Every structure is written in C-alpha cells, then in structure tokens.
Amino acid sequence: TEEGVLNAIIQWASIVDHLHDWREAIHYLQNKSLEELFGDRLTSLSEVLNFVRFALMPPPLLLEVILSLLVHYIFQFQHLKKK
C-alpha cells in the first residue's frame, strides 16, 4: 500500500531507531525538529517522497496524513511565534 511505502521511507530516512511509521514521526516532531528526526537524510527524504502516490491512498487516510502534517506545521509556527 502507499501507506506502507510512506512508512518505509520514514523508517529509512529517520535517524531515530524507534520510529516505524509516519504517525510516530509526527508524534516525535511535536518536540523535535525535522533536522533532529532525519539529520543528513532530510534532503533525500524530500526527493524520495515523490515516489509516494498519495492519490492512491484511501480518502480517510489521506485526510489523516494531511491534517497531521498541518497540525505539526501550525505547532511549529506557534513555537516560533513565542520566541
């Protein structure tokens, strides 16, 4: 499945050993930065994410992915705003 592809990419790119899927990555990012999660592979992550065919995900899953990422970026913006 495309979720499996996304999870494999996240697991490969992550420098954190205990992450196995995108949900764990989003949870981790609540307190850490993208650089802390992916390190030197952050650039490569951007490139390989193009191979995930998000349009093939079931609509409820796609919505969950989008909303999770949106919540993460809103949280990061609020954190920066406080500084």
Side-chain angles (χ1 to χ4, degrees), residues 1-67:
T1 68
E2 292 309 304
E3 183 177 19
V5 173
L6 178 60
N7 289 338
I9 290 170
I10 295 292
Q11 191 172 13
W12 167 80
S14 173
I15 59 174
V16 178
D17 292 333
H18 65 277
L19 294 181
H20 297 98
D21 63 28
W22 68 268
R23 288 177 182 93
E24 290 176 359
I26 293 295
H27 181 71
Y28 183 86
L29 289 169
Q30 289 176 350
N31 299 312
K32 307 289 182 181
S33 70
L34 287 170
E35 290 80 14
E36 290 174 292
L37 178 56
F38 299 113
D40 293 339
R41 291 189 174 174
L42 186 56
T43 302
S44 298
L45 173 68
S46 297
E47 294 171 11
V48 295
L49 280 175
N50 291 319
F51 294 105
V52 179
R53 298 173 297 179
F54 290 98
L56 296 180
M57 287 183 172
L61 176 60
L62 183 58
L63 184 60
E64 183 181 357
V65 170
I66 291 168
L67 291 177

